[in-house]
Amino acid sequence: MKYTLIVYLVLTASFLKAQDTIIVFNNFNYKIGLKFSSQGSADKSQFTNTYYNVSGGGIQLIRQINKSKFSLESGIYYSSKAKAYQLQYYYYPNNYLNVIIIYSYLSLPINFRYDTKVVYVSGGVFFDYLVNKSNDYLINSIRDYGIDRKFNIGYNLTLGLEKQISSKINFFVEGVLNKTLSWAKVTEGHYLIDSNFKTTFNNYGVTVGLNYKFITSWK
């Protein structure tokens, strides 16, 4: 996943010298679209470079600001984060197994975006609401699992390419980095769940999608 993102950024840089190859006209009030993402996710409180593959997607909403190259971008997305835990075998108390829990969130980003004829950049904050986690049947066997926080907040940065494929429809691909700022665990009574309590997620990856422009009358 890391190398995929690097290749994407290199290709983005190469397009900067060919501005006539990818042109998106900013003659719109709104855009609505669909995004699908493939990302790597890790708990940075563990200080490891091990990322786990997760995926997501959702609905993109864009509102242009005063007929300019600036816009506000939001939407609703189903996103995933991952963390490794240590599972203890009851029959073999000295043996442990690492298991990966995938957390699924409904995410609401609020981003400020700038478009050129070739690339766009955006950044802002996101709000996550925990809706599910995989491998629930293993939770009771995980040491010091703790309590999951339902609501989290973080920030995200995006660098993208958008190609107009018809007068109203654009295709886009983007590299995304996002980081959860709040701790994804809460205290269990008055006891801090050591390293689990300080869990924060880092995600990075590639997103592709299509959007539809509601065109204005100005050029």
Side-chain angles (χ1 to χ4, degrees), residues 152-165:
N152 286 288
I153 186 172
Y155 69 85
N156 66 92
L157 299 172
T158 299
L159 174 63
L161 295 166
E162 195 165 83
K163 169 66 175 176
Q164 185 164 295
I165 59 178

Side-chain angles (χ1 to χ4, degrees), residues 184-201:
K185 299 287 184 181
V186 297
T187 59
E188 193 173 50
H190 298 287
Y191 176 70
L192 299 184
I193 313 299
D194 49 59
S195 62
N196 282 347
F197 179 64
K198 296 185 178 181
T199 292
T200 60
F201 295 111

Side-chain angles (χ1 to χ4, degrees), residues 101-127:
I101 304 297
I102 304 297
Y103 297 89
S104 299
Y105 295 89
L106 284 180
S107 295
L108 174 68
I110 302 176
N111 292 340
F112 190 65
R113 171 168 163 158
Y114 177 78
D115 285 84
T116 73
K117 289 185 177 181
V118 180
V119 300
Y120 60 87
V121 293
S122 68
V125 298
F126 63 83
F127 303 92

Side-chain angles (χ1 to χ4, degrees), residues 57-110:
I59 299 173
Q60 175 194 61
L61 298 172
I62 299 175
R63 172 67 167 96
Q64 192 177 38
I65 301 174
N66 295 329
K67 301 180 181 179
S68 69
K69 294 182 179 180
F70 295 95
S71 56
L72 293 176
E73 182 175 0
S74 186
I76 186 71
Y77 298 96
Y78 191 75
S79 64
S80 298
K81 315 288 173 69
K83 177 176 170 61
Y85 291 91
Q86 197 174 67
L87 174 68
Q88 181 174 355
Y89 289 111
Y90 291 112
Y91 295 107
Y92 304 97
N94 295 322
N95 293 328
Y96 300 94
L97 173 69
N98 283 333
V99 296
I100 311 304
I101 304 297
I102 304 297
Y103 297 89
S104 299
Y105 295 89
L106 284 180
S107 295
L108 174 68
I110 302 176

